[in-house]
Amino acid sequence: MSFRWRCGILGLGIVILFGFAPLGWAQAASPSSADSLTAAAVAFELRYGASPTPAPIRDRWLGRDKVQHVVFSGLWTLSTQYILVNKADWTERDALPASIASGAAIGILKELYDASRLTGTASGKDLVADAVGIGLAVAVIQL
């Protein structure tokens, strides 16, 4: 197996490990489960007949969160490209698809993590922001 393939498999393994491991660790480390209720939640349910739910968070197109997604995904893609070309001796042409795929994978894994949380939801707008960041990084790489 060539050096490129070994690096690619190692990188994919790292993405999978750090992308999926926190899901299980967070659930195992949590002392309470979704089925348990606090005294305040029980009192609220007895008083009002419904469990308290947080107000839905508006997912705006422009905001700090979207800027963070654009910047992080762009920097991730640029960093991956730099490492593959300058440290692993890949050609720029061979490294570009791997860089794009790793940036997209991180964004998708982050949204899957958000969706798995009790009060979280995945956001298509976050994925669009990730794609914008990756696109900007590709534009910089192609200069």
Side-chain angles (χ1 to χ4, degrees), residues 12 18 24 28 33 40 43-45 47-48 56 73 80 97-99 106 112-113 121-122 125 134 140:
L12 182 61
F18 289 109
S33 68
F44 186 92
E45 189 168 337
R47 172 70 174 98
Y48 297 106
S73 62
T80 305
S99 301
I106 291 296
L112 289 174
Y113 173 73
T121 57
K125 294 176 184 176
I134 293 169
V140 169

Side-chain angles (χ1 to χ4, degrees), residues 27-109:
Q27 291 169 356
S30 175
S32 63
S33 68
D35 295 331
S36 67
L37 294 174
T38 63
V42 170
F44 186 92
E45 189 168 337
L46 289 173
R47 172 70 174 98
Y48 297 106
S51 61
T53 57
I57 299 172
R58 290 191 59 196
D59 190 24
R60 299 175 188 259
W61 277 107
L62 298 175
R64 184 176 181 174
D65 178 55
K66 302 306 176 275
V67 171
Q68 290 173 339
H69 277 271
V70 169
V71 169
F72 182 82
S73 62
L75 290 176
W76 180 278
T77 304
L78 288 171
S79 301
T80 305
Q81 180 77 9
Y82 173 82
I83 290 169
L84 291 176
V85 171
N86 294 318
K87 303 297 182 184
D89 294 327
W90 288 30
T91 65
E92 284 197 25
R93 184 174 176 223
D94 291 340
L96 189 59
S99 301
I100 293 169
S102 71
I106 291 296
I108 291 168
L109 289 173

